[in-house]
Amino acid sequence: MWNWARDLTKSAEERRAERITAYVDGQMPPADLARFEAELAADAALRERVEALRLLKLQLRRLPAQRAPRNFTLDPARYGKPAPAVGRAYPALRLATALTALLFVFAAVFSLRSAGNQAPGAVALAPTSAEVAPDSAVTRLYDEPAAALMIEETVEAADARLAPPPIAAAVAVTETVGVTQTEAATLMAAEAVTETFAISAVASVTETAGVTETEVAAFVVLEATDDAAAAATLKDAPAPEPAPRVAPAVWLLIGLGVLTALLLAAALLARQRGW
Amino acid sequence: MDETRLIDAARRGDVQAFNRLVLAHQDRAYSFAVRVLGDPDAAADATQKAFIAAYNAINRYREGNFRAWLLRIVHNQCYDVLRRQQRHPEPSIDAITEENESPGFLIDPEASPEEQLEQTEMAAAIEHCLQALPDGQREAVVLCDVEGYDYVEIAQILAVSLGTVKSRLNRARGKLQECLRGWQELLPGRYR
């Protein structure tokens, strides 16, 4: 198939030597034969090479015949019926198994990379741990002074950048006019939402401090609710919804895994039965 | 011998029918193996394993050249041995040369004592040079020049393209000529 490509890389001497070989072996195409014989008649060096090659072939052909030192027959008592031929189902199943397994690996890698690249997704993946043990998470963060400091700075910066002035103003207004706790909680929840956008920035800080993203998420939520109204936010606000992309990806992975296992079993069975 | 009929019988589990095929092809298979491996004992083992493998796989043989199919299995067995030897190398060429210088291994019993000596020396030189070739080139030159197969059969046995067969043969012969020039002083006059 790739002979033409190999021919391109051959030197002129290699091509010449292969023509001599083909001629001596009687394998030269008839179209080339007349031209080569004309060259042979005109070129003494070429004739010499052809003769040398013929002599070598003769010497090789004269090597003594090698007879088998014993019979290699099989014992009928030991060998039963030969294995059945492998049918056409087996190669197809083998190929399908390999492709499905490959797809499974790609899907798994893609899902992991997507989850790793999206910090909000990480929050959504583990909201319960933040709810179950917020105190311990916050305590751990405060136990890491450098991390706590960096996180506070990042959250403040995110506040300045992301929290729109109307919300901050609204908070200030509620404090002055003495609105109900529920109304304040609603406003603070809105502020907390803006802070969640800073999680990706916080995540990079926590990588150096050795804190998990879940703990950071818990911290950010609690940090946004320092006052009593914020506490109400935690109590009243609904639990964050899981990221919508996660569930289909997991189902896809499970499906591909099951399909791979089934195809593998079928391929093994086909090989065993000779289908 | 009706080869097709014997193959069909072997497919149905008739070991005796297969044994008739073995007897018909064993010299050719062993001869190829011994020249590829350069070791009679290893060649005998490889040949035996090849016939066992051929029997077990006979239902996978399709219409075509049975001899080429069989030698392809011998070739595979020889490569297994060569791979094992590469993992656990031994000074095989010296051992082979000594083995090849043994008259019982090489000479034609019908030749005169003087001719036997000449044949032995020449054959020892060629065997030595054959063993110095890379495995693929040695197989190609043994199949073509020693065993007399054509290019198409060699390509089937070695599972390579015709272009590769030509290329290997060309390189192998070039190296053999060069190697034998080094032995010329040791060779009888008529071989120079």
Side-chain angles (χ1 to χ4, degrees):
Chain A
M1 183 180 175
W2 298 102
N3 285 346
W4 60 271
R6 195 185 295 118
D7 285 344
L8 288 177
T9 62
K10 281 178 186 167
S11 66
E13 172 50 32
E14 266 183 303
R15 280 197 283 268
R16 187 178 167 87
E18 282 189 17
R19 287 183 76 210
I20 296 171
T21 296
Y23 177 73
V24 171
D25 288 338
Q27 304 276 333
M28 184 169 266
D32 292 347
L33 196 59
R35 195 171 57 185
F36 186 82
E37 284 178 342
E39 284 176 39
L40 201 60
D43 189 342
L46 185 59
R47 279 198 301 278
E48 199 176 317
R49 288 182 68 175
V50 167
E51 283 311 309
L53 199 54
R54 279 187 173 144
L55 178 63
L56 178 69
K57 276 181 72 76
L58 189 66
Q59 289 167 342
L60 286 164
R61 186 55 65 87
R62 277 184 182 164
L63 282 175
Q66 300 292 314
R67 292 189 184 282
R70 58 185 166 85
N71 283 337
F72 295 109
T73 49
L74 309 187
D75 180 4
R78 196 171 163 195
Y79 295 93
K81 205 171 176 182
V86 175
R88 293 185 180 180
Y90 172 64
L93 284 168
R94 192 176 55 180
L95 181 68
T97 308
L99 289 176
T100 318
L102 200 64
L103 206 60
F104 175 77
V105 171
F106 274 125
V109 169
F110 182 75
S111 299
L112 285 173
R113 287 190 66 176
S114 299
N117 288 339
Q118 294 173 0
V123 172
L125 276 171
T128 17
S129 61
E131 285 170 357
V132 169
D135 289 341
S136 62
V138 172
T139 311
R140 270 196 62 193
L141 280 171
Y142 279 124
D143 285 344
E144 300 283 341
L149 184 61
M150 282 191 285
I151 289 165
E152 285 207 4
E153 283 172 2
T154 312
V155 169
E156 281 169 14
D159 271 342
R161 195 174 68 248
L162 296 169
I167 291 177
V171 173
V173 169
T174 56
E175 283 172 1
T176 30
V177 297
V179 290
T180 64
Q181 215 175 35
T182 316
E183 287 166 342
T186 310
L187 285 169
M188 289 307 293
E191 191 183 52
V193 168
T194 64
E195 284 184 359
T196 58
F197 288 104
I199 287 172
S200 57
V202 173
S204 63
V205 174
T206 54
E207 275 175 15
T208 51
V211 210
T212 68
E213 285 179 357
T214 307
E215 289 166 347
V216 170
F219 172 77
V220 170
V221 172
L222 288 176
E223 178 69 18
T225 56
D226 270 342
D227 53 16
T233 302
L234 263 184
K235 196 182 288 179
D236 299 338
E241 291 291 325
R245 278 171 297 180
V246 174
V250 170
W251 281 115
L252 179 69
L253 279 177
I254 292 171
L256 282 172
V258 170
L259 187 61
T260 306
L262 286 174
L263 282 170
L264 182 64
L268 291 173
L269 194 66
R271 191 174 73 166
Q272 192 184 17
R273 301 276 172 90
W275 291 343
Chain B
M1 179 186 70
D2 184 353
E3 196 170 80
T4 310
R5 195 175 51 80
L6 291 175
I7 291 167
D8 285 343
R11 279 178 172 153
R12 292 192 298 272
D14 185 345
V15 181
Q16 294 296 3
F18 184 78
N19 281 341
R20 289 184 65 191
L21 291 167
V22 171
L23 292 172
H25 292 284
Q26 64 181 7
D27 283 343
R28 201 183 297 274
Y30 172 76
S31 180
F32 174 55
V34 79
R35 290 223 153 86
V36 169
L37 295 174
D39 176 354
D41 292 334
D45 287 347
T47 310
Q48 183 68 77
K49 284 180 185 169
F51 280 119
I52 293 167
Y55 179 71
N56 287 328
I58 194 132
N59 279 312
R60 272 185 264 159
Y61 167 70
R62 306 284 176 219
E63 298 302 315
N65 188 335
F66 182 74
R67 184 176 69 168
W69 180 77
L70 193 59
L71 282 186
R72 168 114 189 89
I73 297 174
V74 177
H75 154 86
N76 289 339
Q77 293 294 335
C78 289
Y79 259 66
D80 285 349
V81 174
L82 290 170
R83 270 196 292 269
R84 278 199 297 274
Q85 284 176 353
Q86 279 171 357
R87 283 200 295 270
H88 308 286
E90 292 171 8
S92 55
I93 288 182
D94 290 343
I96 289 157
T97 307
E98 284 170 22
E99 186 86 43
N100 291 350
E101 282 169 356
S102 156
F105 179 63
L106 287 171
I107 61 170
D108 179 359
E110 292 176 6
S112 69
E114 190 182 337
E115 284 173 340
Q116 284 184 3
L117 181 64
E118 286 182 356
Q119 283 174 7
T120 304
E121 287 174 346
M122 184 62 207
I126 293 175
E127 296 281 3
H128 176 90
C129 292
L130 275 175
Q131 292 304 320
L133 291 174
D135 298 333
Q137 293 177 20
R138 183 166 64 251
E139 282 187 316
V141 85
V142 164
L143 287 169
C144 183
D145 294 338
V146 182
E147 306 293 338
Y149 293 91
D150 64 28
Y151 286 7
V152 174
E153 269 188 307
I154 296 169
Q156 284 175 357
I157 293 165
L158 302 182
V160 294
S161 68
L162 273 178
T164 304
V165 171
K166 290 178 195 170
S167 174
R168 285 184 185 177
L169 275 175
N170 180 44
R171 287 178 188 167
R173 287 168 178 169
K175 285 177 187 170
L176 277 176
Q177 284 176 323
E178 198 175 319
C179 176
L180 286 171
R181 260 181 237 125
W183 283 72
Q184 275 183 343
E185 291 305 313
L186 303 172
L187 294 178
R190 66 176 179 156
Y191 288 117
R192 291 177 199 168

